Amino acid sequence: ASEEQLLRLDPSTLRLERRFSLAGSGYEGDNLAAAGGGLWADGGDELFRFSLRSGNLVRTVSLPGAASSTVAAGTPGSSLIVGEADASGVGAVQRRDPVTGGLLASRAVMGVAAPRVALSGAAVWISQPTGMLGYVQLLSLPRLAPVEPSCPEGASNRTCVDGSNGLRAVIEAGRLFVTDPVGGPTRNYCADPANGHVLAALRLPRPQQDRLLTAFDGVIYYAATAPRGDEYVKRQTMPPACSAGS
């Protein structure tokens, strides 16, 4: 209860293979990204790089002034994208060297916390809560430039979507999944990650409570609230149009 730990598990049996304590590091993150032959974890004002072979911590990269951070990597791990922000929400989306963590490009953003980031090919999707509202926007590698020239409030398009603070974009199974607890079918959908073109609406049983976790092999996995406030992991068939092979 007093410290965060990174656990390495056998993927078949879930047997614990390695435990690494992050006590005293200021770790506050919940994101992992495999890039540059290592495993990156976000840690508030630091990034941690672990060896995929041994599980050892091999590098720590400082994020000066950051109070929150997020990380993402694309397939096959040749790019590392970082979101970071200070305690007042002033921050940036950054492209960093996937091996050293060195800063390569940066774009300023403003919100209430670090933007969540997702990466597919040359498409970088950010999810930025701003207080009462939030937005999802498409940026392009390598300079992190917006694909559309602006992201006007109340004028959503396929590369820039306005919504609530819960609006989020993730890359799963080769598709972009946009979810918003109060968004209905217009803000809960799968799309082409390259351009945001909507492919199919997502229809979770209780969209204001159900939370998308991941998707693969034609199945969507989501967290559903249990009667006593806990959560179950449930599954439903993915809409056929959301399959990357369709």
Side-chain angles (χ1 to χ4, degrees):
S2 62
E3 65 181 30
E4 294 283 350
Q5 296 182 336
L6 181 67
L7 307 181
R8 177 170 173 158
L9 309 178
D10 182 287
S12 298
T13 66
L14 298 185
R15 179 180 59 84
L16 179 64
E17 295 181 340
R18 187 72 186 271
R19 183 192 306 269
F20 189 89
S21 174
L22 297 171
S25 65
Y27 181 78
E28 298 177 353
D30 60 357
N31 292 271
L32 300 172
L39 181 69
W40 289 92
D42 60 288
D45 60 355
E46 295 178 305
L47 300 176
F48 306 111
R49 187 177 192 269
F50 295 88
S51 166
L52 287 173
R53 182 181 298 274
S54 67
N56 291 332
L57 177 65
V58 295
R59 186 180 299 272
T60 301
V61 177
S62 177
L63 300 174
S68 60
S69 56
T70 61
V71 293
T75 303
S78 58
S79 297
L80 177 67
I81 301 298
V82 175
E84 59 89 21
D86 64 17
S88 63
V90 177
V93 182
Q94 302 173 342
R95 181 169 64 91
R96 288 182 171 267
D97 185 286
V99 176
T100 67
L103 183 63
L104 302 175
S106 180
R107 178 174 180 80
V109 294
M110 178 69 182
V112 295
R116 289 187 174 271
V117 290
L119 178 62
S120 176
V124 178
W125 288 89
I126 65 171
S127 307
Q128 180 68 76
T130 59
M132 296 297 291
L133 301 173
Y135 68 90
V136 159
Q137 187 175 20
L138 173 60
L139 311 178
S140 64
L141 290 176
R143 297 190 302 110
L144 303 176
V147 172
E148 297 289 338
S150 63
C151 189
E153 183 175 340
S156 296
N157 54 55
R158 66 184 187 179
T159 65
C160 189
V161 182
D162 289 320
S164 73
N165 267 338
L167 184 67
R168 186 180 179 190
V170 298
I171 306 293
E172 299 287 350
R175 293 301 193 201
L176 171 73
F177 288 84
V178 175
T179 59
D180 188 341
V182 295
T186 61
R187 294 201 301 272
N188 287 274
Y189 59 85
C190 68
D192 186 332
N195 53 32
H197 174 69
V198 176
L199 300 172
L202 300 180
R203 302 189 184 277
L204 297 177
R206 296 183 298 175
Q208 293 188 0
Q209 297 173 327
D210 298 336
R211 180 167 51 87
L212 176 71
L213 298 174
T214 188
F216 58 90
D217 289 342
V219 177
I220 291 173
Y221 294 86
Y222 62 97
T225 303
R228 296 184 179 181
D230 297 327
E231 286 187 326
Y232 293 118
V233 175
K234 295 187 176 182
R235 55 182 282 169
Q236 72 174 34
T237 302
M238 187 187 301
C242 294
S243 173
S246 61

